[in-house]
């Protein structure tokens, strides 16, 4: 947890936070503490304070219910999981199955697990519980049959969790804690414990991929932190803890990362400082030729390694930005003229080089990219700048970068800011899409008038139902979209799949193309039958990516929806607008679309549209059904 | 560290752990006398003591401590 700064005064800060009356402010203060490096005891204290904090009626904090079904004792991991959740503005409610009761809890109706009704089920299972010791002289076929049986056994648990709770399943990798028997030959002996565990994990990851089960790689974390951190024979014998309390902070962090990713709370944008971060030296003083970067100089290679890592992250969909105290012309020249520069100016979706305050510049970057400040990570070598940004913008992640650039990449990677739960075509194209957005912006300025600009874009909306081919992207969009999100309701992939398979439901996804490129799937609508009335559908989810705001896609989407609904004999649409911290952009949406206000619901309004009276809005978007291809 | 220093340190850890500043430990205090100091809190207490004071208790000791004084005595022996 070296990326987290040390708390200034944990005891005082905790007391001050606990004494704060305003419930939202109290959680914010506790979350600030969660973003510091804490001892085991401090973690327990912070969790105790968190348990006492009432949940504010509306805030950026979101509740998620996580059940941990473990072969061994897991209660001691709970405070670390909850504090790691708080670090991401998640209020994680937890349930731990009684010792040795994984199967009973899951399969017996009326169990405590059923009463808990989890959103996420985490399986933390042990080899002694699911594989057992195999005879050492077992031939390969027999050993592999035992592993295959264990995989099927575990698969049945996953299915039950999905079918019963519509929960997202996370499987923790099995830990190899056996003492070596043959020595290095353990990996080759058919029934060698090391081989059994490794093979079980490999087969499970393959099965997990098929079933959309997520993977928590405790084995990899143990390999990194060391076995003595993760397993303590005294704790095992004393309390049957397979994961030692010393590993609790790391374990909790991994759980919270995945849960946060599921709820669209992974960071989206890597903001990089330039001097002594992306290269050695100060380009304004040393000149483009004088900075330390690239092959032949070990320090230059360390900075190049950070550039390479940033480039790889952008290839998987992380947006890159520059925030540097520099002369903009000199900073741009460094990217253009330095022969060893791996990153190019066009790799950055936002490029801010000036002498202004960094916190103000970060706000500028977030607003330029139309993403929240809590989507940013700032990598900056300067401790004073980091402290300034943490103080002004605590929601920006500012890792405590080590002094030696040799450790920049591992520090950033260990912090796990960009956890993913899927990798879609859309992610792979994101960098190109942001570059295209810069071209669109230029076109908008040249077009003079918004209407002329939209005409010139030559937009086409390609629409179709939610199918297994786009299920992952639609789920991702529903869970990552904070602004244009009418209900704020999050959905697991299983839930979206159920709706898409329900013949009474209506579901649409939209892809927007224009002359600058394909924006990918940027909108989705899910409608389910409203009460018992077959002629009324309720719009339970409507999301649209912030990348296509101001393009009239929401109007064309409603035109398309109304036509599809009419074709089904539907006469009325009901839509709830539930206000969240971030969805102010949809405040006037339904009235603009001709819906009538039909009463208030908890935290928002209900709107109704009689299809008979709906007049389609003219847009500059040509529509095209997917089947037309 | 004197016995009193150690007793103070253990008291501080237990107060933080159980979030109860009124706890007063003596060498003769036993676990059941302190409200909330159940077996789960005991494991956490041992883990916190080990990390704060830089010691590692043996399994047999962890299982055999009767009084707070026993823990103080063992910490002193391990720190020597």
């Amino acid at each position: 947890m070296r990326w987290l700064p040390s708390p200034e005064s944990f005891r005082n800060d905790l007391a001050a936070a606990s004494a704060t009356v305003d419930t939202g402010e109290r959680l914010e203060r506790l979350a600030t503490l969660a973003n510091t490096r804490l001892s085991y005891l401090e973690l327990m204290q912070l969790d105790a304070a968190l348990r006492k904090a009432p949940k504010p009626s509306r805030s950026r904090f979101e509740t998620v219910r996580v059940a941990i079904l473990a072969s061994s004792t897991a209660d001691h991991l709970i405070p670390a999981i909850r504090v790691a959740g708080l670090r991401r503005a998640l209020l994680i409610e937890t349930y731990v199955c009684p010792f040795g009761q994984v199967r009973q809890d899951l399969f017996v109706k009326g169990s405590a697990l059923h009463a808990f009704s989890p959103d996420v089920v985490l399986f933390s299972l042990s080899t002694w519980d699911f594989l057992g010791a195999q005879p050492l002289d077992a031939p390969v076929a027999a050993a592999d049959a035992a592993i295959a049986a264990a995989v099927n056994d575990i698969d049945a648990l996953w299915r039950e969790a999905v079918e019963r709770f519509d929960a997202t399943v996370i499987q923790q990798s099995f830990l190899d804690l056996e003492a070596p028997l043959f020595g290095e030959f353990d990996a080759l002996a058919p029934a060698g414990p090391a081989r059994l565990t490794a093979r079980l994990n490999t087969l499970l990851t393959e099965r997990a991929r098929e079933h959309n089960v997520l993977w928590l790689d405790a084995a990899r974390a143990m390999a990194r932190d060391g076995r003595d951190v993760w397993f303590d024979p005294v704790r095992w014998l004393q309390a049957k803890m397979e994961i030692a309390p010393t590993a609790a902070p790391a374990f909790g962090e991994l759980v919270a990362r995945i849960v946060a990713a599921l709820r669209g709370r992974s960071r989206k944008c890597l903001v990089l400082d330039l001097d002594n971060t992306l290269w050695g030296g100060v380009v304004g003083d040393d000149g483009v030729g004088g900075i330390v970067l690239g092959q032949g100089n070990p320090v230059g290679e360390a900075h190049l390694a950070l550039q390479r890592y940033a480039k790889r992250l952008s290839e998987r969909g992380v947006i890159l930005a520059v925030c540097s105290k520099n002369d903009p012309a000199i900073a741009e020249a460094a990217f253009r003229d330095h022969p060893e520069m791996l990153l190019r100016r066009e790799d950055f979706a936002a490029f801010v080089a000036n002498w202004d305050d960094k916190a103000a510049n970060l706000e500028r970057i977030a607003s330029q990219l139309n993403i929240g400040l809590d989507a940013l990570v700032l990598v900056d070598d300067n401790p004073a700048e980091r402290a300034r940004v943490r103080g002004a913008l605590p929601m920006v992640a500012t890792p405590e970068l080590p002094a030696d650039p040799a450790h920049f990449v591992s520090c950033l990677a260990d912090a796990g800011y960009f956890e993913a739960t899927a990798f879609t075509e859309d992610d792979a194209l994101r960098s190109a899409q942001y570059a295209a957005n810069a071209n669109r912006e230029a076109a908008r300025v040249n077009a003079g008038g918004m209407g002329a600009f939209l005409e010139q874009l030559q937009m086409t909306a390609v629409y179709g139902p939610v199918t297994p081919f786009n299920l992952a992207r639609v789920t991702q969009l529903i869970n990552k979209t904070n602004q244009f999100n009418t209900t704020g309701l999050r959905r697991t992939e299983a839930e979206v799949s159920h709706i898409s398979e329900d013949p009474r439901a209506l579901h649409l996804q939209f892809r927007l193309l224009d002359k600058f490129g394909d924006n990918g799937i940027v909108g989705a609508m899910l409608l389910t039958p409203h009460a018992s009335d077959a002629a009324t559908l309720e719009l339970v989810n409507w999301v649209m990516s912030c990348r296509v705001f101001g393009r009239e896609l929401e109007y064309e989407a409603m035109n398309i929806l109304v036509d599809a609904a009419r074709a089904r004999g539907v006469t009325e649409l009901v839509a709830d607008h539930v206000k969240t911290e971030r969805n102010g952009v949809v405040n006037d949406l339904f009235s603009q679309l001709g819906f009538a206000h039909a009463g208030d619901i908890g935290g928002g309004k209900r709107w109704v549209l009689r299809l008979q009276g709906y007049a389609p809005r003219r847009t500059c978007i040509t529509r095209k059904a997917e089947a037309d291809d | 560290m004197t016995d009193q220093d150690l007793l103070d340190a253990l008291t501080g850890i237990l107060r933080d752990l159980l979030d109860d500043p009124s706890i007063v430990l003596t060498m003769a205090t036993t676990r059941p006398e302190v409200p909330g100091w159940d077996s789960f809190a005991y494991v956490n207490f041992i883990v916190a003591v080990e990390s704060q004071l830089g010691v590692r208790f043996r399994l047999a000791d962890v299982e055999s401590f009767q009084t707070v004084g026993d823990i103080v005595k063992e910490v002193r022996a391990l720190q020597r």
Side-chain angles (χ1 to χ4, degrees):
Chain A
M1 314 287 279
R2 58 180 165 148
W3 60 91
L4 296 174
S6 300
E8 279 182 20
S9 169
F10 177 80
R11 191 172 294 276
N12 295 345
D13 292 352
L14 184 67
S18 298
T20 306
V21 179
D22 181 87
T23 52
E25 177 59 23
R26 183 157 165 188
L27 279 182
E28 293 292 350
R29 283 171 161 231
L30 293 174
T32 301
L33 268 181
N35 275 295
T36 58
R37 204 180 316 166
L38 302 177
S39 72
Y40 186 72
L41 184 56
E42 289 167 338
L43 211 74
M44 312 277 288
Q45 290 177 265
L46 181 53
D47 181 50
L50 175 59
R51 282 174 193 279
K52 285 185 194 152
K55 200 193 166 201
S57 55
R58 192 187 308 156
S59 71
R60 68 189 187 100
F61 293 88
E62 183 181 359
T63 303
V64 188
R65 305 167 68 74
V66 178
I68 295 133
L69 303 188
S71 298
S72 61
T73 301
D75 305 80
H76 61 298
L77 304 172
I78 297 305
I81 293 172
R82 289 171 42 83
V83 167
L86 181 62
R87 206 169 283 146
R88 296 161 174 80
L90 292 173
L91 303 175
I92 299 184
E93 290 176 6
T94 52
Y95 169 87
V96 180
C97 76
F99 188 83
Q101 302 285 306
V102 172
R103 296 172 183 83
Q104 293 86 330
D105 225 7
L106 201 53
F107 288 105
V108 176
K109 287 198 180 101
S111 70
L113 173 64
H114 288 236
F116 177 71
S117 182
D119 302 315
V120 175
V121 176
L122 166 62
F123 289 100
S124 171
L125 309 176
S126 304
T127 48
W128 49 264
D129 201 8
F130 280 79
L131 197 53
Q134 301 300 313
L136 282 182
D137 59 352
V140 171
D144 288 0
I147 295 167
V151 170
N152 288 331
D153 196 6
I154 293 160
D155 191 346
L157 302 181
W158 296 346
R159 282 169 198 271
E160 187 68 13
V162 171
E163 281 168 20
R164 210 165 281 278
F165 308 116
D166 263 352
T168 300
V169 174
I170 305 174
Q171 175 66 45
Q172 177 213 303
S173 57
F174 281 78
L175 298 177
D176 172 27
L177 299 168
E178 294 285 324
L181 272 177
F182 300 99
E184 301 314 291
F185 187 66
D186 277 351
L188 303 176
R195 177 182 175 275
L196 292 178
T197 311
R199 191 167 168 79
L200 175 60
N201 281 334
T202 302
L203 293 181
L204 271 180
T205 52
E206 282 162 18
R207 189 72 65 93
R209 191 185 308 116
E210 288 166 26
H211 294 345
N212 295 316
V213 164
L214 298 170
W215 190 249
L216 188 156
D217 207 346
R220 184 161 74 159
M222 181 167 87
R224 187 186 57 219
D225 301 342
R227 182 190 147 114
D228 290 347
V229 174
W230 275 73
F231 180 73
D232 181 343
V234 176
R235 291 311 150 235
W236 167 249
L237 294 164
Q238 181 192 9
K240 290 291 173 282
M241 295 173 174
E242 184 166 282
I243 294 171
T246 38
F251 186 86
E253 174 71 14
L254 296 183
V255 175
R257 275 176 200 172
I258 299 176
V259 175
L262 283 167
R263 295 301 169 108
R265 284 170 184 256
S266 288
R267 304 273 165 175
K268 293 173 181 163
C269 175
L270 176 62
V271 185
L272 295 152
D273 170 51
L274 298 179
D275 294 331
N276 288 317
T277 301
L278 277 193
W279 53 70
V282 176
V283 67
D285 296 341
D286 307 334
V288 172
I291 60 175
V292 182
L293 179 70
Q295 304 299 332
N297 177 322
V299 174
E301 286 179 37
H303 290 287
L304 192 61
L306 178 62
Q307 292 204 9
R308 191 174 299 116
Y309 188 60
K311 181 96 179 166
R312 294 291 279 170
L313 286 174
S314 83
E315 286 164 6
R316 51 144 288 200
V318 174
I319 309 163
L320 301 185
V322 160
C323 180
S324 165
K325 286 198 168 154
N326 244 311
D327 180 295
I330 296 177
E332 300 226 8
F335 284 97
R336 191 181 60 234
D337 300 337
H338 197 286
E340 295 281 343
M341 196 70 68
L342 182 73
L343 290 170
R344 293 284 142 196
R345 171 63 185 84
E346 53 271 23
D347 289 321
F348 299 100
F351 195 100
V352 176
N354 57 35
W355 303 99
D356 296 350
D357 173 43
K358 281 220 170 171
N361 279 338
L362 287 164
E363 288 183 311
R364 213 163 281 163
I365 289 170
S367 111
Q368 251 181 47
L369 299 175
N370 202 5
I371 56 179
L373 282 161
D374 57 3
L376 304 183
V377 175
L378 171 68
V379 171
D380 195 318
D381 70 295
N382 186 329
E385 296 287 7
R386 293 198 300 259
R388 158 74 191 139
V389 169
R390 276 191 206 116
L393 304 172
M395 65 296 268
V396 173
T398 311
E400 197 58 6
L401 218 56
D404 186 346
H407 301 296
F408 283 0
V409 170
S410 59
C411 176
L412 178 57
D414 284 352
Y417 294 121
F418 305 108
E419 189 74 28
T421 55
F423 183 54
T424 64
E425 179 196 20
D426 205 71
D427 294 321
L429 295 173
R430 184 161 304 126
S431 296
Q433 288 164 349
Y434 271 92
N437 258 352
N439 294 334
R440 288 186 189 100
E441 182 58 22
R444 191 182 66 77
V445 173
N446 289 337
M450 197 62 190
F453 163 65
L454 290 177
E455 285 293 349
Q456 286 170 14
L457 274 180
Q458 301 159 21
M459 294 183 285
T460 304
V462 178
Y463 64 95
V466 177
T467 66
F469 299 106
N470 53 44
L471 179 64
R473 169 59 185 159
V474 169
T475 308
Q476 184 189 48
L477 195 61
I478 287 171
N479 292 312
K480 280 178 89 164
T481 304
N482 295 314
Q483 299 183 72
F484 195 108
N485 188 335
T486 54
T487 56
L489 274 179
R490 305 303 190 187
R491 302 265 179 209
T492 65
E493 201 160 297
E495 289 171 323
V496 178
S497 175
H498 278 173
I499 293 175
S500 75
E501 285 162 6
D502 181 348
R504 299 166 305 156
L506 181 57
H507 40 90
L508 291 163
Q509 42 80 22
F510 304 88
R511 175 186 290 273
L512 188 68
L513 295 87
D514 61 32
K515 70 173 181 179
F516 293 108
D518 181 354
N519 293 281
I521 295 176
V522 288
M525 294 168 138
L526 302 182
L527 296 98
T528 55
H530 182 68
S532 55
D533 181 4
T536 304
L537 284 175
E538 178 174 350
L539 184 60
V540 289
N541 282 97
W542 184 8
V543 292
M544 191 173 82
S545 165
C546 55
R547 266 178 288 154
V548 295
F549 282 7
R551 310 276 288 276
E552 301 183 337
L553 179 60
E554 61 273 39
Y555 303 132
E556 197 54 42
M558 185 52 70
N559 293 343
I560 292 169
L561 169 63
V562 168
D563 286 350
R566 279 178 177 151
R568 293 259 202 108
V570 171
T571 58
E572 193 174 73
L573 297 181
V574 172
D576 286 348
H577 167 219
V578 182
K579 288 196 177 200
T580 69
E581 189 81 341
R582 304 264 290 275
N583 69 357
V585 67
V586 295
N587 277 352
D588 301 322
L589 176 69
F590 290 113
S591 62
Q592 282 172 3
L593 289 167
F595 281 66
H597 183 206
D600 292 339
I601 50 158
K605 288 178 176 170
R606 169 154 294 185
W607 297 86
V608 172
L609 180 72
R610 307 266 324 149
L611 297 193
Q612 210 176 7
Y614 179 78
R617 275 182 83 120
R618 261 191 57 86
T619 69
C620 300
I621 302 173
T622 310
R623 63 161 92 171
K624 188 170 166 214
E626 259 173 1
D628 292 356
D629 282 347
Chain B
M1 279 176 115
T2 66
D3 282 1
Q4 189 57 48
D5 291 339
L6 287 173
L7 188 61
D8 290 346
L10 298 187
T11 305
I13 291 170
L14 194 62
R15 283 176 177 176
D16 284 345
L17 185 67
L18 299 182
D19 194 17
D20 180 356
S22 72
I23 291 174
V24 177
L25 297 182
T26 70
M27 297 300 250
T29 307
T30 62
R31 206 149 57 76
E33 293 167 29
V34 181
W37 203 4
D38 56 18
S39 61
F40 181 59
Y42 176 65
V43 176
N44 283 326
F45 175 74
I46 292 293
V47 172
V49 170
E50 287 189 346
S51 86
Q52 309 280 97
L53 301 181
V55 295
R56 295 291 297 271
F57 296 113
R58 290 179 305 178
L59 175 62
D61 295 333
V62 168
E63 292 299 301
S64 69
F65 291 137
Q66 295 296 326
T67 64
V68 171
D70 293 342
I71 303 176
V72 169
K73 209 180 304 168
E74 187 58 27
V75 171
R76 209 159 22 111
L78 289 169
Q79 280 185 334
R80 199 169 291 143

